Amino acid sequence: MRAVDLIAKKRAGEVLTDEEINSLIQGYVANDVPDYQMAAFLMAVCFSGMNAQETAGLTIAMLQSGDVVDLSDIPGVKVDKHSTGGVGDTTTLAVGPMVAACGGKVAKMSGRGLGHTGGTLDKLESIPGLIIELPLEQFKQQVREISLAIVGQTGNLVPADKKLYALRDVTSTVNSLPLIASSIMSKKLASGADAIVLDVKTGSGAFAETLEQAKALASTMVDIGRRLGKKVVAIITDMNQPLGLAVGNALEVREAIELLSGKLSSGDPLYEVCMLLAGKMLLLSGQAGSETEARAKLVKSIESGAALAKFREMVAAQGGDFTYIDSVKINELCAVKRHIPVFLPYSGHVQRIDAQKVGLAAQLIGAGRSKKDDAIDPAVGLVMHKRLGEPVSPQEPVCTLYVNDDLNADAAIALLTQGIEIEHRAQRMVYAVLD
Ligand code: URA
Ligand code: CA
């Protein structure tokens, strides 16, 4: 099978067989297919797409390029969750302990954050001592003993994705539904869970900007998982503003602790999305028979303190200083040199919050990486004070920056001022003059 013929076939809009896709992927991983041919193939996929069978075939080919974790010797249904990437999305840190406190077995392997803000692993690493690189046996033992572990990917999971993602990044071929769906699902399937809950974000800054795109991505990923015998559910959630108020690593740990301590209540977006995700995880785990029962159990896990205790237990098991998992002591990890309130010069209602710009602003002051090896400052970031639709005046800050190094603070403020719009009914008496 010559790569050039497969590129031509896809360019012509034809359907590739599983064998054809597999030969291309294994050839690429073995360095028999060069980058320039793979880049041409990826671009052909961007234009011609792939059907459901091809997308599943691509996922399986990627999955088979490396190790697949076997969790079958841990009793019970092992459940994982995945988010397609949001700003202010600290759901994993809250949902993991909630589900484990209600009897679910949460075995989560996270990738490093690809985008503007730190990923779950970076947030966890803001807790002194906590180790995310556990050997596989230790990861499994922890899930057996305390029903909860959140670690980095161990072993050689999906090397095809590492190589393909790097190439997609520099050839403008990231944004293709079958490529995104297979990239995400190959990694989820390789990490061994029996059940997966997907949180597909839609809105500014999400891969899926429209609801239609999000539905297509979600159903493609659900289809791939089910073809491979996994229980998969997807929910589509809003990313037209940061999900929580905190954007930053220790700041997001603090917000997760607030949620687990019962300080957020129903109606709050972060709380509601966590309830929905955790509820689906309990249903797939067989720990609840209905959404109502799941929610009641989850509410109780917060009210009783069991969920917060579970978070503490996980931090301790992974070598972290669990005394920080406390709504007062966590503030020590969020201590910075300077708090900078950000004001907008209008009175009115918040009309638009560009989540991506908010994420980039946090990245600029050190909360995320712009290059793979950049260091992250765990304490810095920002806290939003206003949500969409809320009233604001020039005397009230829309958010506060937490900074240690003033270097990029002005640039971050400029991004926020561009990204947050206030609808102010200025004295517009004349709209246009046509003469
Ligand atoms: N996240 C991934 O892991 N892969 C993609 O292609 C896009 C988002
Ligand atoms: Ca994230």
Side-chain angles (χ1 to χ4, degrees):
M1 247 175 263
R2 296 192 317 157
V4 64
D5 299 329
L6 302 180
I7 298 167
K9 198 170 170 186
K10 185 42 59 189
R11 196 189 67 159
E14 290 173 36
V15 174
L16 300 181
T17 66
D18 290 349
E19 293 70 35
E20 286 170 334
I21 294 169
N22 196 47
S23 88
L24 207 51
I25 297 300
Q26 307 318 336
Y28 184 56
V29 175
N31 295 320
D32 293 335
V33 172
D35 277 348
Y36 53 82
Q37 285 190 310
M38 186 49 79
F41 176 74
L42 294 169
M43 192 56 86
V45 172
C46 285
F47 283 104
S48 302
M50 279 186 157
N51 69 20
Q53 176 67 37
E54 289 175 292
T55 308
L58 175 59
T59 310
I60 294 168
M62 290 170 69
L63 185 62
Q64 288 172 346
S65 70
D67 302 337
V68 176
V69 175
D70 182 2
L71 300 178
S72 61
D73 53 353
I74 303 173
V77 178
K78 279 72 65 185
V79 64
D80 190 359
K81 75 160 276 267
H82 179 78
S83 152
T84 61
V87 176
D89 178 2
T90 192
T91 50
T92 297
L93 297 186
V95 161
M98 286 158 68
V99 172
C102 293
K105 286 228 157 39
V106 182
K108 174 146 179 69
M109 283 191 186
S110 273
R112 284 278 172 194
L114 295 168
H116 18 273
T117 52
T120 297
L121 300 179
D122 302 304
K123 294 169 202 173
L124 282 173
E125 281 183 330
S126 66
I127 302 163
L130 190 136
I131 294 163
I132 50 113
E133 267 125 31
L134 296 190
L136 183 59
E137 267 319 308
Q138 200 180 330
F139 168 68
K140 287 164 64 165
Q141 192 57 24
Q142 189 175 318
V143 177
R144 261 184 223 110
E145 283 171 6
I146 68 166
S147 302
L148 174 63
I150 304 174
V151 301
Q153 286 167 0
T154 61
N156 185 28
L157 299 194
V158 204
D161 183 63
K162 293 196 182 78
K163 212 174 161 196
L164 283 168
Y165 198 91
L167 185 63
R168 288 166 62 205
D169 210 19
V170 294
T171 55
S172 192
T173 53
V174 168
N175 210 345
S176 148
L177 190 152
L179 298 182
I180 295 173
S182 57
S183 164
I184 293 174
M185 290 306 287
S186 60
K187 284 176 285 188
K188 285 290 105 181
L189 296 165
S191 58
D194 308 301
I196 302 159
V197 176
L198 299 166
D199 180 4
V200 178
K201 306 285 186 189
T202 181
S204 68
F207 282 106
E209 289 201 5
T210 67
L211 184 55
E212 282 312 303
Q213 289 168 342
K215 281 183 181 160
L217 179 59
S219 67
T220 301
M221 292 196 291
V222 169
D223 177 75
I224 294 169
R226 290 184 183 162
R227 280 170 189 255
L228 282 147
K230 305 289 181 179
K231 300 182 192 183
V232 188
V233 167
I235 66 171
I236 296 171
T237 63
D238 182 57
M239 197 30 69
N240 283 304
Q241 61 179 327
L243 179 58
L245 296 174
V247 184
N249 295 288
L251 292 170
E252 291 189 45
V253 174
R254 179 168 76 179
E255 195 166 31
I257 291 172
E258 280 168 11
L259 195 160
L260 294 172
S261 311
K263 296 203 173 76
L264 305 187
S265 44
S266 62
D268 174 276
L270 177 64
Y271 179 92
E272 289 302 335
V273 170
C274 284
M275 282 292 169
L276 192 54
L277 289 169
K280 293 288 183 203
M281 289 168 81
L282 287 183
L283 285 169
L284 293 186
S285 307
Q287 298 295 329
S290 68
E291 302 266 347
T292 322
E293 187 195 341
R295 188 166 175 124
K297 280 184 102 169
L298 292 164
V299 168
K300 193 156 164 253
S301 79
I302 294 175
E303 284 173 359
S304 68
L308 185 65
K310 187 56 81 178
F311 189 19
R312 227 174 256 140
E313 206 179 345
M314 183 192 88
V315 169
Q318 293 181 216
D321 184 343
F322 63 89
T323 61
Y324 286 103
I325 307 307
D326 172 272
S327 52
V328 178
K329 186 141 192 253
I330 185 66
N331 288 310
E332 293 174 21
L333 300 183
C334 303
V336 288
K337 293 201 185 115
R338 212 147 81 85
H339 291 150
I340 308 176
V342 178
F343 299 92
L344 296 178
Y346 313 109
S347 286
H349 290 82
V350 181
Q351 191 180 29
R352 193 178 69 89
I353 300 181
D354 184 328
Q356 190 173 30
K357 288 207 167 73
V358 174
L360 284 171
Q363 180 200 59
L364 272 180
I365 56 172
R369 300 181 182 81
S370 52
K371 296 189 300 298
K372 195 162 60 79
D373 300 322
D374 284 353
I376 279 185
D377 182 340
V380 304
L382 58 91
V383 175
M384 301 293 300
H385 303 304
K386 297 288 173 183
R387 287 195 172 279
L388 283 179
E390 289 183 356
V392 62
S393 75
Q395 289 77 41
E396 297 170 284
V398 285
C399 66
T400 298
L401 293 182
Y402 283 56
V403 298
N404 273 326
D405 177 347
D406 281 352
L407 189 62
N408 288 322
D410 287 343
I413 294 168
L415 264 178
L416 291 163
T417 346
Q418 282 165 27
I420 305 172
E421 275 174 25
I422 311 297
E423 187 193 38
H424 54 292
R425 301 209 179 278
Q427 310 295 323
R428 273 199 286 184
M429 285 173 294
V430 179
Y431 282 96
V433 177
L434 305 175
D435 59 7

